Amino acid sequence: MNTGRRERRKAETRRRLDEAALRLFLEHGYDGVTVAQIADAADISVATLFAHVPDGKEALIFDDGTERREGIVAAVRERPDGEPVLHALQQFFAHRGPYANELPPEHAPKRNLIVSTPALHGYARRLWHSCENELAAALAEDSGRAPDDLKVRALARFILEIPDLTGTEPDPAAALATVVELLESGWS
């Protein structure tokens, strides 16, 4: 039972950190906020902040990447029979971040902060890139190719570049469609 309490306390501390960081970033801009200010606003020490978020203040806006990694792999593996893989991946992206039209209003400020802050945008890119091996494995299974096949690795890498390439375009959804169309013409 002690482990359950410890996990709940860790989750509560992380929630407080995330909320404090987002509030301060929205009020003062990302570059106008220090780690010490975030820790103070969450009523914890800086050492405790780094124990929970060793990657620094960028990581306070994101989860650990597990959800995105599982989601993109599921988009490949769990799509309906006959649905082209790139269409499934386009649909996966269409409901996330800069592409989502039905994003709850409370999520829009966070999305806008990520898209407009180079450090956060870069961290998001690193999180996407961390999905490469798992995505390549799913694409390999789907295509009957080996996971180390250059075409599989290249497609996985290109797909994971989509958010960085298109997320800040004036019409991210149209840019997403353009890139997917380009990939489809070279991948069948």
Side-chain angles (χ1 to χ4, degrees):
M1 195 58 125
N2 208 7
T3 302
R5 179 181 301 155
R6 182 179 306 124
E7 292 305 313
R8 285 192 308 272
R9 287 180 61 201
K10 285 172 65 174
E12 173 59 21
T13 299
R14 179 60 198 247
R15 184 194 60 75
R16 286 193 347 250
L17 282 168
D18 293 352
E19 288 176 359
L22 181 59
R23 181 177 50 78
L24 290 170
F25 293 158
L26 292 174
E27 289 173 5
H28 305 287
Y30 175 81
D31 293 325
V33 178
T34 66
V35 171
Q37 289 170 316
I38 296 166
D40 187 52
D43 196 28
I44 65 165
S45 70
V46 172
T48 300
L49 182 148
F50 280 112
H52 286 271
V53 189
D55 287 346
K57 69 181 189 176
E58 293 97 344
L60 288 166
I61 296 297
F62 300 95
D63 63 12
D64 66 359
T66 301
E67 179 274 329
R68 93 182 46 218
R69 193 168 29 261
E70 290 172 354
I72 200 164
V73 168
V76 173
R77 290 184 176 147
E78 298 171 14
R79 71 188 195 281
D81 288 341
E83 181 179 20
V85 70
L86 288 169
H87 181 264
L89 289 164
Q90 181 177 2
Q91 293 307 304
F92 167 76
F93 283 120
H95 300 289
R96 301 181 65 88
Y99 313 105
N101 291 330
E102 295 89 34
L103 195 65
E106 64 271 14
H107 292 138
K110 182 177 178 179
R111 174 193 61 195
N112 296 341
L113 177 71
I114 292 167
V115 169
S116 66
T117 305
L120 296 175
H121 190 79
Y123 191 83
R125 186 174 190 218
R126 288 191 300 277
L127 285 175
W128 281 116
H129 284 213
S130 74
C131 303
E132 186 173 338
N133 291 336
E134 290 88 347
L135 178 59
L139 292 169
E141 289 169 18
D142 182 70
S143 67
R145 298 173 190 258
D148 63 349
D149 182 300
L150 180 59
K151 289 181 179 182
V152 169
R153 291 184 5 247
L155 182 61
R157 176 104 26 110
F158 296 151
I159 289 165
L160 296 172
E161 285 293 340
I162 289 174
D164 187 55
L165 288 170
T166 63
T168 58
E169 288 293 313
D171 184 347
L176 169 64
T178 297
V179 171
V180 169
E181 182 181 324
L182 175 66
L183 291 174
E184 284 175 333
S185 69
W187 182 270
S188 54

